[in-house]
Amino acid sequence: LKASGASLENGFGFNLPQASQNLISQLGDVEVTGSEIHSNYINLVGNGFEANQTKPTVIVFDNFFKVMDHPGIGLGINTEADKPFVAFDTVNLLIKPTSAMFTMVDFQFEHWNPFIIVNGERGKEVHLPNHPPTDLADLSIFGTYEDSSNPTTGRYYKTANNLPWAINIVSEFAWPLEKVNIVEAYKHFFDWARSSGAEYGDWYEDKAGYRESENIYAVPED
């Protein structure tokens, strides 16, 4: 964990949508430890998975601000240049079979479905674009405000212009400052999103003409 904008007390979790039937049928023989759960809006079964889910679902933490301490001033954590820096932190999870025999193929971790839980409201999930919600999501919020999700066509978590509500980047990411729209920090993010990834797949890299550096948070040097 490195930063969280604004003051919403968001949680984070993931499910395994392509887990094998062998794993699902014997999920009681798998134990999850290490989750940071501090509120009562998350219900876990005895072995650490979330209750009332048809797919194996793990809640990593239920409140960002219970994992990284807020510095006491400012909105979020590590999003304002003139506010105190908070050291990065890591949540370590262990998912361990107890008696049954499984292989990595049973889990299908490469197809994981990560999501944010918004401000302690379990039904408000934010997933990567076109990744479906979990069983506990409130489907009534799809298509409201700037969202253009349409479950009947498999469209999830995008605006009408294809801007995603969440992104997954397999490298270091320099995030925008507080209250700065990502398109004001990364000049080609909109081109990438509007083209559904066909253009500027490297929009987040530090190349000439790609960034507005003054709109990006600079991590203090050691």
Side-chain angles (χ1 to χ4, degrees):
L1 285 72
K2 294 184 175 182
S4 181
S7 58
L8 299 185
E9 298 178 352
N10 296 328
F12 176 74
F14 63 90
N15 73 355
L16 301 175
Q18 296 191 33
S20 71
Q21 189 56 44
N22 178 48
L23 175 63
I24 293 173
S25 64
Q26 301 182 82
L27 198 61
D29 291 323
V30 182
E31 183 180 58
V32 178
T33 56
S35 297
E36 292 267 3
I37 306 299
H38 301 274
S39 306
N40 60 10
Y41 77 92
I42 297 295
N43 295 312
L44 304 181
V45 295
N47 62 344
F49 286 93
E50 188 172 30
N52 302 313
Q53 298 277 15
T54 55
K55 301 294 185 181
T57 303
V58 175
I59 304 301
V60 181
F61 58 85
D62 62 356
N63 186 339
F64 185 97
F65 294 112
K66 296 292 186 180
V67 182
M68 290 182 69
D69 291 331
H70 194 279
I73 58 174
L75 290 175
I77 295 176
N78 296 341
T79 59
E80 297 174 274
D82 61 342
K83 301 300 186 296
F85 174 74
V86 179
F88 300 155
D89 205 347
T90 300
V91 177
N92 294 296
L93 287 175
L94 178 62
I95 301 176
K96 180 182 178 180
T98 54
S99 58
M101 297 294 293
F102 302 105
T103 69
M104 293 299 287
V105 174
D106 287 304
F107 291 89
Q108 292 287 309
F109 282 115
E110 63 270 30
H111 298 294
W112 78 318
N113 182 4
F115 59 94
I116 291 171
I117 303 170
V118 180
N119 204 32
E121 296 186 50
R122 183 60 192 84
K124 286 190 176 181
E125 297 181 357
V126 179
H127 291 249
L128 295 170
N130 292 338
H131 283 58
T134 77
D135 296 329
L136 298 182
D138 179 1
L139 306 186
S140 69
I141 63 178
F142 286 143
T144 60
Y145 297 95
E146 298 295 325
D147 183 60
S148 68
S149 298
N150 185 352
T152 60
T153 62
R155 180 183 179 88
Y156 291 107
Y157 303 102
K158 293 181 179 180
T159 70
N161 288 324
N162 282 335
L163 292 176
W165 294 119
I167 54 177
N168 183 28
I169 298 174
V170 293
S171 68
E172 290 291 323
F173 178 62
W175 54 94
L177 290 166
E178 189 74 53
K179 299 183 180 180
V180 172
N181 192 310
I182 192 170
V183 299
E184 298 171 350
Y186 288 91
K187 297 180 180 180
H188 298 299
F189 179 83
F190 184 76
D191 300 317
W192 168 78
R194 182 174 55 183
S195 67
S196 294
E199 300 177 9
Y200 291 102
D202 58 353
W203 61 267
Y204 52 86
E205 295 185 6
D206 191 8
K207 295 182 176 180
Y210 273 44
R211 296 182 177 184
E212 292 287 356
S213 297
E214 66 273 17
N215 290 332
I216 294 176
Y217 182 83
V219 177
E221 296 182 1
D222 293 334

